[in-house]
Amino acid sequence: MSQLPDIVREFERVSADVVAKAATFQAAILADVAGRRGTMHARVAPVHHAMKVAGPAFTVEVRPGDNLMIHAAIALAKPGDVIVVDGKGDLTAALMGTLMLSACKKLGIAGVIIDGAIRDRVELLDLGFPVFSAGFNPAGPTKYVPGRINHPISAGGATVNAGDLVVGDADGVVVIERLKAPAMLALADKKVADEAARLGAIARGDTASKWLPAALRAAGVLKEGETL
C-alpha cells in the first residue's frame, strides 16, 4: 500500500479566477451559501480587522510549540498561496513573528492563517500582511519536531485540504472545498443581490421579517392563528 510522503509538493489548487472572484465577497456571504459549513472557530482572528485574504490553502501540520515545518512551507509555497497551519490551538509559544511573516510577504504569499500563537503584534500591524491567528505569546518556538505539509488538516475546527479556497476577513475564516468553490460563487452573487434588495426594503420602512410568524409557529412559540 502506497503512503504519501510527509511533504506533498504538487497538488491541484483552486483556480486564480475563482480566487479573484471570491475575494470580492465577505467571508460571511461565502459561509452562508456553503451551508454554514467550513468556518473556523472565532479564536482564529485577524491581527487587524482590516486584513483580508483569499487564495488556495497550503496546509501545514506541526507539533505544539514547534515551527520547523512552517519554515519548510515558506520555502515551498507559491505566490498567491495561503499558508494554513494546524498549530493544535496551542498558545504556549509563538510559531511565527515578524521575520518569518516578512519573508512570506516578500515571496508573494497571500497570507497566513494559524491555529496557534504568533508574536510581534505591533510590528505586524506596520507590515501590512494578512495574518490570522488564535492568539499571541512572546515565547519563541522550537525547530526540532517533524510535521507534514499539504496533507489534510484541522484548523480552527475546520477541515482544510491543500488547494481548497480560503477566505478571511474581519469576521474570521471560511474554507470551501476546491471542487465546490465555483458553484458557491454563483450562489454568492445571488445572495449579495438578495441582501441588497432587503436592505433597500428596510430603508423604505419595511422592517418586518415575513418568515418569522411561521417559524415561531413551527417552533411552538405561537399557536395557529396567533401573531406577534
Side-chain angles (χ1 to χ4, degrees), residues 50-201:
M51 290 179 173
K52 302 175 76 171
V53 69
F58 190 99
T59 63
V60 189
E61 182 186 4
V62 302
R63 290 287 296 276
D66 192 282
N67 73 354
L68 176 66
M69 300 308 288
I70 304 176
H71 284 277
I74 293 171
L76 292 170
K78 295 182 179 180
D81 284 346
V82 178
I83 293 178
V84 184
V85 182
D86 174 9
K88 314 303 180 187
D90 179 73
L91 301 180
T92 60
L95 297 181
M96 300 184 79
T98 304
L99 296 178
M100 295 173 71
L101 291 163
S102 294
C104 288
K105 181 178 180 180
K106 183 66 175 179
L107 290 166
I109 293 167
V112 167
I113 297 168
I114 179 166
D115 191 0
I118 59 173
R119 64 182 181 181
D120 306 328
R121 187 194 309 227
V122 173
E123 293 175 356
L124 296 182
L125 293 174
D126 293 333
L127 183 61
F129 177 74
V131 185
F132 294 66
S133 79
F136 299 85
N137 195 309
T142 59
K143 297 175 174 61
Y144 306 123
V145 185
R148 300 195 300 179
I149 289 177
N150 292 321
H151 286 248
I153 63 170
S154 175
T159 299
V160 191
N161 290 283
D164 283 349
L165 173 64
V166 181
V167 176
D169 60 19
D171 288 331
V173 179
V174 62
V175 182
I176 297 178
E177 296 167 58
R178 176 179 60 83
L179 293 177
K180 293 183 178 179
M184 292 302 103
L185 298 187
L187 295 175
D189 273 327
K190 183 178 185 305
K191 176 74 173 174
V192 169
D194 289 346
E195 291 199 356
R198 180 62 186 140
L199 285 171

